[in-house]
């Protein structure tokens, strides 16, 4: 099943885009025996089938999570998405650095997800200069001064900074007062469900994907 979460301009209260999330059942024999790239490609194929062919008609941005290894193993994925669609990848230290070069030519279609967790660091943003960055709610535990300085630095190197997982009015008012313009989270709406159950085949292979 797919879920759709709005991304909101918290200054104008306009929905500027949506993140499409996949929530499906993955059998253990697929999850543990097949490389994750195959599962990613299968999910991408289903998202394309149900959403992307319609996205070009929307005046909204569409964000899709995908494994960085998948993007670098099939560069044609960038050719299969409408102009208003962006791939979200997680910056995870050494592994990300290994694949970073293959993304440099497509940086305008890349959004770094979950910034503030794991190995994520500002050096990656400075070097890659992606289209955007999504900040994890763990950063809400940091001081106002830290967040103001972080936003100023990120704005130098990417076009959009989105604060994720905003849940309360207090959190929303805080990030708004600090200068953040874009956010997403449960405060705006519960995840909207696209009532289409997608089962991943147990005999999943590369041939199945294509």
């Amino acid at each position: 099943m797919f879920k759709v979460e709005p991304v909101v301009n918290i200054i104008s209260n306009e929905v500027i885009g949506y993140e499409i999330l996949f929530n499906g059942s993955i059998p253990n024999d697929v999850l543990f025996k097949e490389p994750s790239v195959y599962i990613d490609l299968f999910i991408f194929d289903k998202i394309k089938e149900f959403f992307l062919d319609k996205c070009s008609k929307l005046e909204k941005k569409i964000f899709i999570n995908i494994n960085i290894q998948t993007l670098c193993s099939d560069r044609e994925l960038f050719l299969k998405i409408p102009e208003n669609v962006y791939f979200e990848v997680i910056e995870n230290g050494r592994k990300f650095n290994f694949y970073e070069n293959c993304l440099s030519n497509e940086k305008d279609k890349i959004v770094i997800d979950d910034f503030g967790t794991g190995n994520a660091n500002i050096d990656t943003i400075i070097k890659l200069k992606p289209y955007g960055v999504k900040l994890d709610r763990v950063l809400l535990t940091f001081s106002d001064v830290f967040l103001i300085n972080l936003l100023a630095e990120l704005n130098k190197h990417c076009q959009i900074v989105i604060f994720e997982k905003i849940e309360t009015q207090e959190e929303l008012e805080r990030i708004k007062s600090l200068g953040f313009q874009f956010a997403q989270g449960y405060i705006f709406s519960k995840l909207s469900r696209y009532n289409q159950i997608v089962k991943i085949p147990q005999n999943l292979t590369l041939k199945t994907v294509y």
Side-chain angles (χ1 to χ4, degrees):
M1 181 178 292
F2 295 101
K3 296 182 179 180
V4 180
E5 185 172 83
V7 177
V8 179
N9 181 325
I10 60 177
I11 306 301
S12 66
N13 294 320
E14 175 192 5
V15 174
I16 61 130
Y18 300 92
E19 179 177 351
I20 299 175
L21 304 169
F22 178 81
N23 181 23
S25 175
I26 302 178
N28 285 342
D29 61 341
V30 172
L31 185 62
F32 294 109
K33 290 184 179 180
E34 294 286 352
S36 62
V37 62
Y38 292 171
I39 296 176
D40 278 350
L41 291 174
F42 179 84
I43 293 173
F44 174 82
D45 186 61
K46 293 304 176 183
I47 289 178
K48 185 176 187 300
E49 178 182 346
F50 296 126
F51 290 98
L52 297 195
D53 292 336
K54 303 174 184 178
C55 286
S56 59
K57 300 177 183 179
L58 299 176
E59 295 182 359
K60 304 292 182 182
K61 303 179 189 300
I62 303 296
F63 302 94
I64 301 172
N65 277 280
I66 198 164
N67 191 305
I68 190 172
Q69 180 181 355
T70 303
L71 283 181
C72 292
S73 65
D74 186 357
R75 301 294 297 282
E76 291 188 2
L77 287 177
F78 288 102
L79 304 177
K80 297 178 182 178
I81 59 174
E83 186 175 338
N84 58 328
V85 175
Y86 302 87
F87 287 121
E88 294 185 25
V89 299
I90 295 177
E91 191 276 289
N92 53 0
R94 185 178 301 175
K95 183 178 179 181
F96 185 88
N97 293 335
F98 179 78
Y99 291 108
E100 190 173 20
N101 290 336
C102 84
L103 296 181
S104 59
N105 292 331
E106 311 290 353
K107 61 185 181 180
D108 291 337
K109 303 298 290 182
I110 296 297
V111 174
I112 303 298
D113 194 20
D114 290 346
F115 186 89
T117 64
N119 296 301
N121 62 80
I122 194 69
D123 292 339
T124 298
I125 309 302
I126 295 173
K127 185 176 180 181
L128 182 61
K129 290 181 171 53
Y131 172 75
V133 177
K134 286 193 171 185
L135 306 182
D136 189 87
R137 68 174 286 106
V138 69
L139 291 174
L140 292 172
T141 63
F142 287 70
S143 70
D144 287 358
V145 172
F146 175 87
L147 291 176
I148 291 172
N149 291 335
L150 175 63
L151 177 62
E153 186 63 27
L154 291 175
N155 280 334
K156 295 177 185 177
H157 307 289
C158 58
Q159 298 182 46
I160 188 170
V161 178
I162 302 168
F163 224 122
E164 291 188 291
K165 304 172 185 175
I166 299 301
E167 299 178 355
T168 67
Q169 187 66 32
E170 182 180 6
E171 292 171 349
L172 180 60
E173 292 301 328
R174 181 188 178 203
I175 64 171
K176 186 175 180 180
S177 70
L178 297 179
F180 289 90
Q181 185 176 358
F182 304 99
Q184 67 182 91
Y186 284 105
I187 188 172
F188 302 111
S189 69
K190 292 183 178 180
L191 293 178
S192 301
R193 295 192 177 190
Y194 183 86
N195 192 24
Q196 175 65 52
I197 297 177
V198 178
K199 293 183 179 180
I200 296 181
Q202 296 204 18
N203 58 343
L204 182 65
T205 65
L206 193 59
K207 184 176 181 180
T208 306
V209 175
Y210 292 105

